Amino acid sequence: MHANRAQFRIIGLDELAEEVIVGPQGFTLGRGADNDYVIRHREISRNHLRIMWHEEDGRFLVEDLDSSNGSWLNDRRLLPHVAVELNESDVIRAGPYLLRLERLFTTTPADPVPDMAVAPASAIARELPDIRRQVPVYLSGIARDRSNWLDYLPGIYSDHDKFDFLGRLLLIFESIWSPIIWQIDNFEVYLTPDTAPSAWLQWLASWFDLLLVPELPIERQRTIVNQIGWLFLRRGTPAGLTRLLELYFGVAPEIIEDEYCHFVVRLPLSEMARAEDSLEPDLAEQVAGQLIDSQKPAFASYRLDIV
Protein backbone atom coordinates (compact mmCIF):
# COMPACT_ATOMS: atom_id res chain seq x y z
CA MET A 1 0.00 0.00 0.00
CA HIS A 2 1.17 3.53 -0.74
CA ALA A 3 1.93 5.98 2.05
CA ASN A 4 -0.55 8.81 2.33
CA ARG A 5 0.52 10.42 5.59
CA ALA A 6 3.91 11.39 6.96
CA GLN A 7 5.09 12.26 10.43
CA PHE A 8 7.70 15.03 10.70
CA ARG A 9 9.67 16.24 13.70
CA ILE A 10 10.56 19.94 13.50
CA ILE A 11 13.59 20.92 15.57
CA GLY A 12 14.76 24.45 16.33
CA LEU A 13 17.93 25.76 17.92
CA ASP A 14 16.47 25.40 21.40
CA GLU A 15 16.29 21.62 20.77
CA LEU A 16 12.56 21.63 21.50
CA ALA A 17 10.97 19.34 18.95
CA GLU A 18 7.44 19.54 17.62
CA GLU A 19 5.72 16.75 15.69
CA VAL A 20 3.28 17.34 12.84
CA ILE A 21 1.37 14.96 10.60
CA VAL A 22 1.16 15.84 6.91
CA GLY A 23 -1.65 14.39 4.84
CA PRO A 24 -2.37 14.35 1.08
CA GLN A 25 -3.27 18.06 1.23
CA GLY A 26 0.42 18.86 1.61
CA PHE A 27 2.31 21.26 3.83
CA THR A 28 4.03 24.62 3.37
CA LEU A 29 6.64 26.30 5.54
CA GLY A 30 7.74 29.92 5.51
CA ARG A 31 7.76 33.28 7.21
CA GLY A 32 4.42 34.41 5.77
CA ALA A 33 1.15 33.92 7.63
CA ASP A 34 -0.33 32.02 4.65
CA ASN A 35 1.87 28.95 5.38
CA ASP A 36 0.80 25.86 7.31
CA TYR A 37 3.87 26.23 9.57
CA VAL A 38 5.12 29.78 10.18
CA ILE A 39 8.73 30.42 11.24
CA ARG A 40 9.60 34.08 11.70
CA HIS A 41 13.34 34.06 11.12
CA ARG A 42 15.53 36.13 8.82
CA GLU A 43 16.87 33.03 7.03
CA ILE A 44 13.37 31.75 6.25
CA SER A 45 11.69 33.16 3.11
CA ARG A 46 8.05 34.22 3.00
CA ASN A 47 7.26 30.97 1.16
CA HIS A 48 10.27 28.74 1.75
CA LEU A 49 9.41 25.12 0.93
CA ARG A 50 6.54 22.78 0.25
CA ILE A 51 5.91 19.11 0.94
CA MET A 52 3.56 17.42 -1.53
CA TRP A 53 1.93 14.02 -1.90
CA HIS A 54 2.09 12.33 -5.30
CA GLU A 55 -1.18 10.42 -5.55
CA GLU A 56 -0.26 8.04 -8.39
CA ASP A 57 2.63 6.28 -6.65
CA GLY A 58 1.97 7.35 -3.04
CA ARG A 59 5.20 9.27 -2.53
CA PHE A 60 5.91 12.42 -0.55
CA LEU A 61 8.04 15.05 -2.29
CA VAL A 62 9.80 18.19 -1.06
CA GLU A 63 10.19 21.31 -3.19
CA ASP A 64 12.14 24.48 -2.52
CA LEU A 65 10.02 27.52 -3.46
CA ASP A 66 12.97 29.58 -4.72
CA SER A 67 13.87 30.62 -1.17
CA SER A 68 16.58 33.22 -0.66
CA ASN A 69 18.83 31.02 1.51
CA GLY A 70 17.89 27.64 0.02
CA SER A 71 16.74 24.30 1.42
CA TRP A 72 18.76 21.13 1.96
CA LEU A 73 17.73 17.49 1.86
CA ASN A 74 20.24 15.62 4.02
CA ASP A 75 23.55 17.07 2.74
CA ARG A 76 22.34 18.14 -0.73
CA ARG A 77 20.94 21.56 -1.65
CA LEU A 78 17.58 21.44 -3.42
CA LEU A 79 17.17 23.16 -6.78
CA PRO A 80 14.31 25.69 -6.83
CA HIS A 81 10.95 24.25 -7.96
CA VAL A 82 12.41 20.76 -8.46
CA ALA A 83 10.52 18.20 -6.37
CA VAL A 84 12.59 15.43 -4.76
CA GLU A 85 11.29 12.21 -3.21
CA LEU A 86 11.37 11.83 0.57
CA ASN A 87 12.21 8.65 2.47
CA GLU A 88 12.02 7.78 6.14
CA SER A 89 14.80 9.36 8.26
CA ASP A 90 15.48 12.08 5.66
CA VAL A 91 16.32 15.47 7.14
CA ILE A 92 15.26 18.73 5.49
CA ARG A 93 17.08 21.89 6.58
CA ALA A 94 15.66 25.38 6.23
CA GLY A 95 17.76 28.06 7.89
CA PRO A 96 18.49 26.94 11.48
CA TYR A 97 15.49 24.56 11.53
CA LEU A 98 15.40 20.85 10.75
CA LEU A 99 12.47 18.73 9.57
CA ARG A 100 13.06 15.03 10.07
CA LEU A 101 10.75 12.54 8.36
CA GLU A 102 10.06 10.11 11.19
CA ARG A 103 7.68 7.74 9.43
CA LEU A 104 5.51 7.17 6.37
CA PHE A 105 2.27 5.30 6.94
CA THR A 106 -1.08 4.59 5.34
CA THR A 107 -4.67 5.23 6.32
CA THR A 108 -7.19 2.41 6.17
CA PRO A 109 -10.76 3.04 4.92
CA ALA A 110 -11.96 2.86 8.52
CA ASP A 111 -9.57 5.64 9.49
CA PRO A 112 -9.98 8.49 6.96
CA VAL A 113 -7.37 11.18 6.47
CA PRO A 114 -8.16 14.33 8.49
CA ASP A 115 -9.42 17.33 6.53
CA MET A 116 -6.63 19.57 7.81
CA ALA A 117 -3.25 19.47 6.13
CA VAL A 118 -1.35 19.22 9.40
CA ALA A 119 -2.75 17.13 12.24
CA PRO A 120 -1.34 17.01 15.78
CA ALA A 121 0.79 13.93 16.27
CA SER A 122 -1.08 13.12 19.48
CA ALA A 123 -4.21 12.45 17.42
CA ILE A 124 -2.66 9.31 15.97
CA ALA A 125 -0.27 8.37 18.77
CA ARG A 126 -2.19 5.14 19.28
CA GLU A 127 -1.15 4.04 15.78
CA LEU A 128 2.56 4.75 16.33
CA PRO A 129 3.54 3.17 19.64
CA ASP A 130 7.22 2.54 18.91
CA ILE A 131 8.33 5.24 16.45
CA ARG A 132 11.59 6.14 18.16
CA ARG A 133 12.69 2.52 18.41
CA GLN A 134 11.85 1.79 14.77
CA VAL A 135 13.79 4.73 13.24
CA PRO A 136 17.62 4.61 13.25
CA VAL A 137 19.07 7.33 15.47
CA TYR A 138 21.21 9.92 13.69
CA LEU A 139 22.24 13.40 14.74
CA SER A 140 19.84 15.57 12.73
CA GLY A 141 21.52 17.71 10.07
CA ILE A 142 24.80 15.76 10.06
CA ALA A 143 25.87 13.53 7.16
CA ARG A 144 25.67 9.80 7.96
CA ASP A 145 28.40 8.09 5.92
CA ARG A 146 30.89 10.77 4.86
CA SER A 147 31.80 14.15 6.35
CA ASN A 148 30.72 17.26 4.47
CA TRP A 149 34.07 18.77 5.42
CA LEU A 150 35.70 16.76 2.63
CA ASP A 151 34.14 19.28 0.22
CA TYR A 152 36.50 21.93 1.59
CA LEU A 153 39.61 19.85 0.86
CA PRO A 154 41.37 19.50 -2.53
CA GLY A 155 39.42 17.53 -5.13
CA ILE A 156 41.58 14.41 -4.75
CA TYR A 157 39.94 13.75 -1.39
CA SER A 158 36.53 13.32 -3.03
CA ASP A 159 37.56 9.79 -4.11
CA HIS A 160 35.32 7.73 -1.81
CA ASP A 161 37.26 4.48 -2.24
CA LYS A 162 40.67 5.91 -1.32
CA PHE A 163 39.56 8.32 1.39
CA ASP A 164 36.58 6.56 2.92
CA PHE A 165 38.35 6.35 6.28
CA LEU A 166 39.19 10.08 6.21
CA GLY A 167 35.53 10.91 5.49
CA ARG A 168 34.35 8.84 8.45
CA LEU A 169 37.09 10.21 10.71
CA LEU A 170 36.15 13.82 9.94
CA LEU A 171 32.52 12.89 10.59
CA ILE A 172 33.41 12.47 14.28
CA PHE A 173 34.61 16.06 14.54
CA GLU A 174 31.82 17.41 12.34
CA SER A 175 29.17 15.86 14.60
CA ILE A 176 30.81 17.57 17.61
CA TRP A 177 31.40 21.02 16.14
CA SER A 178 28.50 21.54 13.72
CA PRO A 179 25.80 22.04 16.40
CA ILE A 180 28.05 24.64 18.07
CA ILE A 181 28.64 26.37 14.73
CA TRP A 182 24.88 26.44 14.04
CA GLN A 183 24.25 28.07 17.40
CA ILE A 184 26.90 30.73 16.78
CA ASP A 185 25.71 31.43 13.22
CA ASN A 186 22.12 31.83 14.40
CA PHE A 187 22.68 33.34 17.83
CA GLU A 188 20.12 36.08 17.16
CA VAL A 189 17.42 33.42 17.49
CA TYR A 190 18.14 33.33 21.23
CA LEU A 191 17.88 37.12 21.48
CA THR A 192 14.62 37.46 19.51
CA PRO A 193 11.46 37.27 21.66
CA ASP A 194 9.53 35.40 18.95
CA THR A 195 11.99 32.49 18.90
CA ALA A 196 13.94 32.56 22.17
CA PRO A 197 13.47 29.63 24.63
CA SER A 198 11.64 30.36 27.88
CA ALA A 199 14.82 30.48 29.98
CA TRP A 200 16.33 33.06 27.63
CA LEU A 201 13.17 35.18 27.78
CA GLN A 202 13.50 35.35 31.56
CA TRP A 203 17.18 36.28 31.19
CA LEU A 204 16.35 39.04 28.69
CA ALA A 205 13.69 40.39 31.07
CA SER A 206 16.26 40.51 33.88
CA TRP A 207 18.26 43.07 31.85
CA PHE A 208 15.37 45.49 32.54
CA ASP A 209 14.81 44.28 36.12
CA LEU A 210 11.44 42.81 35.11
CA LEU A 211 10.07 39.70 36.78
CA LEU A 212 9.07 36.93 34.35
CA VAL A 213 7.99 33.72 36.08
CA PRO A 214 8.38 30.41 34.18
CA GLU A 215 4.77 29.44 35.04
CA LEU A 216 3.51 32.19 32.74
CA PRO A 217 2.38 30.82 29.32
CA ILE A 218 5.19 31.11 26.80
CA GLU A 219 3.19 33.29 24.39
CA ARG A 220 2.55 35.84 27.13
CA GLN A 221 6.24 35.82 28.00
CA ARG A 222 7.08 36.60 24.37
CA THR A 223 4.53 39.43 24.23
CA ILE A 224 5.92 41.04 27.39
CA VAL A 225 9.52 40.87 26.18
CA ASN A 226 8.46 42.27 22.79
CA GLN A 227 7.08 45.36 24.59
CA ILE A 228 9.79 45.57 27.25
CA GLY A 229 11.31 48.75 25.79
CA TRP A 230 7.97 50.55 25.94
CA LEU A 231 7.41 49.30 29.49
CA PHE A 232 10.89 50.34 30.63
CA LEU A 233 10.43 53.92 29.39
CA ARG A 234 7.18 54.15 31.41
CA ARG A 235 8.45 52.47 34.55
CA GLY A 236 6.92 54.04 37.68
CA THR A 237 3.90 55.48 35.82
CA PRO A 238 0.23 54.37 36.00
CA ALA A 239 0.26 53.69 32.25
CA GLY A 240 3.31 51.41 32.45
CA LEU A 241 2.01 49.46 35.47
CA THR A 242 -1.45 49.10 33.93
CA ARG A 243 -0.04 47.71 30.68
CA LEU A 244 2.33 45.31 32.47
CA LEU A 245 -0.44 43.84 34.64
CA GLU A 246 -2.69 43.56 31.59
CA LEU A 247 -0.01 41.68 29.64
CA TYR A 248 0.75 39.44 32.61
CA PHE A 249 -2.77 38.45 33.63
CA GLY A 250 -4.89 39.12 30.54
CA VAL A 251 -7.28 41.40 32.46
CA ALA A 252 -7.49 45.19 32.68
CA PRO A 253 -6.55 46.50 36.15
CA GLU A 254 -7.80 49.76 37.63
CA ILE A 255 -5.34 52.12 39.35
CA ILE A 256 -6.83 54.74 41.68
CA GLU A 257 -4.65 57.45 43.25
CA ASP A 258 -6.76 58.10 46.36
CA GLU A 259 -4.22 59.89 48.57
CA TYR A 260 -0.93 61.72 48.27
CA CYS A 261 1.79 59.18 47.33
CA HIS A 262 -0.69 56.33 47.74
CA PHE A 263 -2.70 54.36 45.20
CA VAL A 264 -5.02 51.37 44.97
CA VAL A 265 -4.71 48.62 42.36
CA ARG A 266 -7.94 46.75 41.65
CA LEU A 267 -7.09 43.53 39.82
CA PRO A 268 -10.03 41.36 38.61
CA LEU A 269 -8.35 37.97 38.93
CA SER A 270 -11.79 36.30 39.00
CA GLU A 271 -12.02 37.02 35.26
CA MET A 272 -8.53 35.59 34.72
CA ALA A 273 -9.49 32.34 36.47
CA ARG A 274 -11.83 31.52 33.59
CA ALA A 275 -8.96 31.57 31.07
CA GLU A 276 -7.19 28.32 30.28
CA ASP A 277 -3.73 29.94 30.11
CA SER A 278 -3.97 31.75 33.43
CA LEU A 279 -1.79 31.42 36.52
CA GLU A 280 -3.00 29.72 39.68
CA PRO A 281 -4.92 32.27 41.84
CA ASP A 282 -2.52 32.09 44.81
CA LEU A 283 0.53 32.46 42.58
CA ALA A 284 -1.13 35.23 40.57
CA GLU A 285 -1.80 37.32 43.70
CA GLN A 286 1.78 36.85 44.91
CA VAL A 287 3.26 37.74 41.51
CA ALA A 288 1.00 40.80 41.20
CA GLY A 289 2.39 42.15 44.46
CA GLN A 290 5.98 41.55 43.34
CA LEU A 291 5.33 43.32 40.02
CA ILE A 292 3.82 46.37 41.72
CA ASP A 293 6.67 46.54 44.26
CA SER A 294 9.25 46.49 41.47
CA GLN A 295 7.47 49.04 39.23
CA LYS A 296 6.08 51.65 41.64
CA PRO A 297 8.01 54.77 42.69
CA ALA A 298 10.10 54.13 45.81
CA PHE A 299 8.31 56.85 47.82
CA ALA A 300 4.78 55.60 47.01
CA SER A 301 2.65 53.11 48.92
CA TYR A 302 -0.25 51.08 47.61
CA ARG A 303 -3.03 48.60 48.37
CA LEU A 304 -3.77 45.62 46.16
CA ASP A 305 -7.44 44.64 45.92
CA ILE A 306 -8.17 41.30 44.25
CA VAL A 307 -11.72 41.26 42.87
Side-chain angles (χ1 to χ4, degrees):
M1 299 176 65
H2 295 322
N4 56 16
R5 281 191 291 179
Q7 180 181 19
F8 287 86
R9 180 179 295 268
I10 302 178
I11 306 173
L13 287 180
D14 53 10
E15 298 301 327
L16 295 177
E18 181 177 357
E19 292 184 350
V20 296
I21 301 300
V22 180
Q25 296 89 346
F27 171 87
T28 58
L29 180 147
R31 196 171 64 241
D34 56 334
N35 292 280
D36 296 309
Y37 196 90
V38 178
I39 299 178
R40 303 192 184 281
H41 186 270
R42 64 179 179 83
E43 293 188 21
I44 303 296
S45 298
R46 178 177 178 81
N47 299 104
H48 198 99
L49 63 84
R50 172 172 56 192
I51 295 172
M52 306 170 292
W53 183 62
H54 194 270
E55 184 175 2
E56 293 183 1
D57 49 14
R59 296 182 302 163
F60 276 92
L61 311 173
V62 60
E63 176 187 8
D64 179 80
L65 300 177
D66 199 15
S67 59
S68 300
N69 294 295
S71 305
W72 276 258
L73 177 59
N74 299 322
D75 56 353
R76 180 164 57 97
R77 181 165 183 163
L78 297 175
L79 297 176
H81 300 296
V82 176
V84 179
E85 181 180 359
L86 289 171
N87 298 297
E88 289 187 358
S89 300
D90 278 348
V91 176
I92 305 167
R93 178 161 62 88
Y97 290 83
L98 304 174
L99 290 79
R100 179 186 174 93
L101 178 52
E102 295 285 332
R103 186 179 178 185
L104 297 168
F105 53 98
T106 60
T107 302
T108 63
D111 184 19
V113 177
D115 292 335
M116 56 185 175
V118 183
S122 58
I124 59 161
R126 61 184 183 278
E127 302 177 24
L128 307 172
D130 298 312
I131 289 176
R132 290 181 178 84
R133 290 194 291 271
Q134 295 174 6
V135 179
V137 177
Y138 295 100
L139 184 60
S140 297
I142 303 296
R144 302 172 189 174
D145 303 316
R146 170 183 174 273
S147 174
N148 293 320
W149 290 3
L150 284 178
D151 297 336
Y152 298 96
L153 298 178
I156 188 174
Y157 292 100
S158 61
D159 189 329
H160 290 204
D161 295 332
K162 292 183 178 179
F163 298 100
D164 178 64
F165 173 75
L166 178 61
R168 289 183 285 113
L169 178 64
L170 289 178
L171 195 55
I172 298 173
F173 300 97
E174 182 180 1
S175 64
I176 296 172
W177 286 103
S178 285
I180 300 174
I181 294 171
W182 296 340
Q183 289 182 327
I184 295 173
D185 288 345
N186 299 279
F187 189 67
E188 77 282 355
V189 172
Y190 291 93
L191 304 179
T192 304
D194 291 335
T195 54
S198 177
W200 281 72
L201 290 172
Q202 296 159 39
W203 180 59
L204 291 173
S206 71
W207 293 3
F208 297 84
D209 192 26
L210 180 62
L211 173 67
L212 203 62
V213 296
E215 293 83 2
L216 194 67
I218 185 67
E219 291 307 319
R220 287 195 183 177
Q221 294 185 41
R222 298 191 192 283
T223 302
I224 292 172
V225 177
N226 263 316
Q227 299 189 28
I228 205 165
W230 187 95
L231 293 169
F232 185 75
L233 290 175
R234 291 158 181 81
R235 188 186 181 102
T237 66
L241 181 57
T242 298
R243 182 55 179 159
L244 177 60
L245 293 174
E246 185 178 10
L247 290 171
Y248 226 99
F249 301 107
V251 295
E254 183 182 5
I255 298 180
I256 306 168
E257 299 183 54
D258 57 346
E259 299 177 13
Y260 182 71
C261 295
H262 183 273
F263 61 95
V264 177
V265 179
R266 294 173 55 85
L267 191 61
L269 292 185
S270 57
E271 298 179 14
M272 184 199 72
R274 295 193 291 267
E276 295 181 356
D277 59 348
S278 60
L279 296 174
E280 293 294 330
D282 293 341
L283 177 61
E285 184 174 353
Q286 177 184 351
V287 169
Q290 293 177 344
L291 288 174
I292 299 172
D293 285 334
S294 66
Q295 298 295 311
K296 73 176 183 65
F299 56 82
S301 60
Y302 73 95
R303 185 181 80 246
L304 175 61
D305 291 342
I306 303 298
V307 296

